[in-house]
Amino acid sequence: MHPSAYVTGKEKKLNAASYGYTGSMSDAEYDHLISLQLGGDPNDYRNLWVEPADPGHKNGGGVNNKKDPVETKLHTAVCAGRVTLAQAQQAIVTDWTTALTALGLS
């Protein structure tokens, strides 16, 4: 069961303010830095962040998350034994936009 939007909405605003995010909340996603499918903690505040809209995203267009397919590709690579779980987690924490290239998976 997921927490209500009432709870996560407050958390999202506080999280965004904690590191100076000032973009549109409706275009950002309150997401896990290390996805659950890569062993990320679902409730640890250190694993939650306000993920801004992707570059080139039209303002007011809602959440547009290109990070999700990267997470799935990393999960698949871990399950296939192509990379370790620790390598996948480190790559996505370092920079999700370069994670696949850094691990030779792109």
Side-chain angles (χ1 to χ4, degrees):
M1 178 175 208
H2 297 286
S4 72
Y6 177 77
V7 171
T8 58
K10 286 182 178 182
E11 290 176 356
K12 183 177 178 180
K13 287 178 185 176
L14 290 170
N15 182 285
S18 75
Y19 60 90
Y21 176 77
T22 58
S24 167
M25 287 296 165
S26 62
D27 288 337
E29 180 179 358
Y30 196 41
D31 199 13
H32 296 97
L33 181 58
I34 299 174
S35 67
L36 303 184
Q37 66 180 330
L38 291 173
D41 189 314
N43 300 310
D44 189 331
Y45 72 92
R46 295 169 297 178
N47 193 41
L48 291 165
W49 69 307
V50 174
E51 183 176 343
D54 295 322
H57 180 70
K58 181 181 176 185
N59 287 341
V63 174
N64 178 26
N65 187 342
K66 293 181 182 175
K67 183 175 171 264
D68 289 346
V70 172
E71 295 166 350
T72 300
K73 288 178 182 177
L74 288 172
H75 177 259
T76 300
V78 169
C79 291
R82 295 176 60 200
V83 297
T84 67
L85 180 59
Q87 288 171 317
Q89 290 174 338
Q90 184 60 45
I92 203 152
V93 167
T94 300
D95 184 346
W96 72 265
T97 65
T98 63
L100 296 175
T101 302
L103 294 173
L105 300 171
S106 57

